[in-house]
Amino acid sequence: MSRVEVFVDAAGVARAAADAFEALLRERGKDGAVLGLATGSTPLPLYRELVRRHREEGLPFAHATSFNLDEYWPIAPDHPRSFARFMDEHLFDHLDLPAARRHIPSGLTPVPGLAAACQDYEAAIAAAGGIDLQVLGIGVNGHIGFNEPGALPGSRTRMVELDDSTRARARGDFGGEEVPARAVTMGLATILEARRILVLATGPDKAAAVAAAIDGPATTALPASWLQQHPDVTWLLDAPAAAAR
Ligand code: F6R
């Protein structure tokens, strides 16, 4: 069952999501929470709030482990638009989460070794005990991670082709440079194994995808609609993102 909470603005969404992270981190303590993380503009206010709570209130990440959803392919980790760099800039450089326990799919693994690297990523999640709390954004086309329309609910970590619409939206971020045509992403089945999922959506351009994902049928045409089959999903929406329901 999906719960839906609507806030007046993105700051409300960020605070509610940060509360869920804080509760988990404090409850797990030294046993170490396993966090599933996303990139993109939507989680930025959440990451700012987590950094603030770490700095000002001592919220500890020292025992946590993290797994990011996805990475462009091919891309070097120090490329300004890589998700590895994004995470360093916006979160990891400001927390005490040990580097050895931060995981992001590699954007540089050559194709011959890629399937094995993807299996290793799945194995690392399992070895950490599975993801306790996964944060997701949603694409305007309903993608989660880089599981674009057509992705199967049983999909696992793998290389995917990005939708033209996804690449077009990323074009501004990449300046004049070409947006990678492919990515490595956790699969829908990988995401659906997280014990708890928070989907964050803000702004009017997400409203149609949000309404269809929550209220429409579960369909491969809209990857986020498979979240209906998860037992513990909370949608945290600002009013514009909730407006089409
Ligand atoms: C990011 C990711 C994507 C984004 C989605 C929304 O790791 O996997 O699914 O969550 O594209 O992006 P923003 O938040 O930039 O609108």
Side-chain angles (χ1 to χ4, degrees):
M1 259 301 286
S2 302
R3 270 188 303 278
V4 182
E5 296 176 26
V6 182
F7 301 85
V8 287
D9 56 18
V13 170
R15 276 193 300 274
D19 287 349
F21 274 85
E22 173 156 9
L24 175 71
L25 287 159
R26 294 208 187 276
E27 176 203 310
R28 279 298 155 87
K30 293 200 167 127
D31 290 338
V34 182
L35 311 175
L37 302 175
T39 55
S41 57
T42 311
L44 284 175
L46 162 64
Y47 294 160
R48 274 196 293 274
E49 177 63 9
L50 290 177
V51 169
R52 189 197 66 75
R53 291 186 192 193
H54 172 67
R55 280 197 182 136
E56 295 177 15
E57 297 163 12
L59 180 62
F61 291 79
H63 302 285
T65 298
S66 70
F67 291 91
N68 265 76
L69 285 166
D70 45 15
E71 178 60 282
Y72 290 111
W73 191 97
I75 203 164
D78 61 352
H79 186 286
R81 295 275 70 86
S82 78
F83 289 164
R85 178 88 169 260
F86 175 102
M87 291 307 298
D88 284 347
E89 275 174 21
H90 296 291
L91 197 65
F92 296 148
D93 284 353
H94 315 287
L95 299 179
D96 56 347
L97 203 163
R101 288 210 300 273
R102 309 168 191 161
H103 304 84
I104 301 186
S106 168
L108 280 185
T109 309
V111 169
L114 197 80
C118 291
Q119 280 176 15
D120 289 349
Y121 202 71
E122 295 272 339
I125 295 172
I131 292 171
D132 292 310
L133 181 62
Q134 174 70 56
V135 65
L136 298 176
I138 178 172
V140 292
N141 66 354
H143 74 206
I144 50 176
F146 273 141
N147 295 281
E148 302 282 25
L152 299 177
S155 55
R156 292 278 165 189
T157 303
R158 69 203 184 288
M159 177 180 279
V160 292
E161 304 242 330
L162 295 177
D163 255 21
D164 289 345
S165 64
T166 300
R167 295 181 74 205
R169 282 179 72 88
R171 215 148 274 152
D173 294 342
F174 276 78
E177 210 183 314
E178 199 174 342
V179 180
R182 293 189 255 182
V184 177
T185 184
M186 280 188 202
L188 292 172
T190 323
I191 292 169
L192 290 168
E193 277 174 6
R195 280 184 272 283
R196 183 166 182 216
I197 297 176
L198 297 180
V199 197
L200 278 47
T202 53
D205 56 342
K206 301 293 173 68
V210 164
I214 298 173
D215 304 317
T219 162
T220 52
L222 198 84
S225 64
W226 297 108
L227 295 169
Q228 294 170 17
Q229 301 194 345
H230 189 279
D232 192 353
V233 173
T234 306
W235 290 78
L236 301 176
L237 310 175
D238 71 357
R245 296 198 64 222

